[in-house]
Amino acid sequence: MSLDPSVREDADTSPPKPGRRIIGRRLLLAAPLALAATAAFTQIQKPAWMVVQGADGSFTVDMPGQPVYKLLDTTSPGGTAFVLHSYSLEFRRLSFVAQTALYPADIDVRVPKANLQGVLDDRARRLEGGRWTRLDWREVQGAPAAESVGSVAGGSVLRQLVVLKGRRFVSLAYLAPADALRTPEADRFFKSFRLGS
């Protein structure tokens, strides 16, 4: 019998087994519970990717969940009303937006690059320094396009793709903290984009 009052005869004094923690006389299965909780958290955080189709079949793009769809009323510089279809989704600390509109007749689309530059200039006003830090002109399925990146106040970065196919304007935007500019989610979002008919 021990004379030390901190040691009880009925206490298990053998070293703890891996994955278990001893507290007094209680045996907790800490590791299996922690693993189960981690697995449940991982399942919750996994994106449920889905294909989003734009208005009138104008485009398809993969998004990591069901976006919120809105119709945004807007007007051309000449005052003609038209509708911008918007699909937006917040996932973890990332934001995904896809938008499309069929431009009215008073918007000049004869020089697509000039039209897209006007869109880029308008959006750049909301960026730090009022300009894009990177701008690449290219084509997407034969349509003129520009991919751009710029810093936003608060440490976020905006990456976007704008495309003009005839009178059909399409835009993809991805907003994220600067350290998340290149993520698997962003890559899938942009690489999955396809123009419709």
Side-chain angles (χ1 to χ4, degrees):
M1 183 156 182
S2 170
L3 297 176
D4 184 346
S6 66
V7 177
R8 296 178 44 153
E9 289 296 326
D10 58 349
D12 183 357
T13 58
S14 61
K17 294 179 182 167
R20 296 181 181 186
R21 188 171 57 173
I22 297 174
I23 301 176
R25 294 175 60 188
R26 290 180 136 166
L27 185 63
L28 297 180
L29 304 175
L33 291 176
L35 290 173
T38 301
F41 180 77
T42 302
Q43 279 187 327
I44 291 169
Q45 291 297 308
K46 277 188 178 178
W49 285 94
M50 62 181 300
V51 177
V52 175
Q53 183 171 1
D56 304 321
S58 52
F59 69 89
T60 59
V61 69
D62 290 357
M63 294 181 89
Q66 178 71 46
V68 174
Y69 173 64
K70 292 181 183 176
L71 295 173
L72 306 173
D73 294 322
T74 189
T75 56
S76 69
T80 303
F82 67 102
V83 175
L84 185 68
H85 301 262
S86 181
Y87 309 81
S88 60
L89 174 70
E90 299 292 323
F91 175 73
R92 296 180 186 156
R93 55 189 191 141
L94 314 174
S95 298
F96 300 83
V97 179
Q99 295 182 325
T100 187
L102 190 59
Y103 281 158
D106 66 341
I107 293 181
D108 188 358
V109 295
R110 290 174 295 173
V111 184
K113 188 172 179 178
N115 183 283
L116 292 174
Q117 185 66 59
V119 172
L120 293 167
D121 292 345
D122 181 60
R123 292 183 178 177
R125 285 187 267 159
R126 297 170 187 89
L127 300 174
E128 281 187 347
R131 64 181 189 83
W132 298 100
T133 53
R134 194 187 92 221
L135 175 60
D136 299 315
W137 290 97
R138 60 190 180 98
E139 285 191 354
V140 172
Q141 293 173 245
E147 187 168 349
S148 55
V149 175
S151 297
V152 180
S156 292
V157 177
L158 175 64
R159 178 180 169 192
Q160 77 165 8
L161 173 70
V162 290
V163 183
L164 188 60
K165 181 181 178 184
R167 294 204 159 274
R168 174 62 65 183
F169 170 77
V170 182
S171 169
L172 299 184
Y174 169 77
L175 182 68
D179 66 345
L181 178 61
R182 300 283 177 201
T183 63
E185 292 86 1
D187 289 342
R188 180 168 178 175
F189 178 59
F190 284 98
K191 286 178 181 175
S192 69
F193 175 70
R194 296 289 178 272
L195 281 170
S197 53

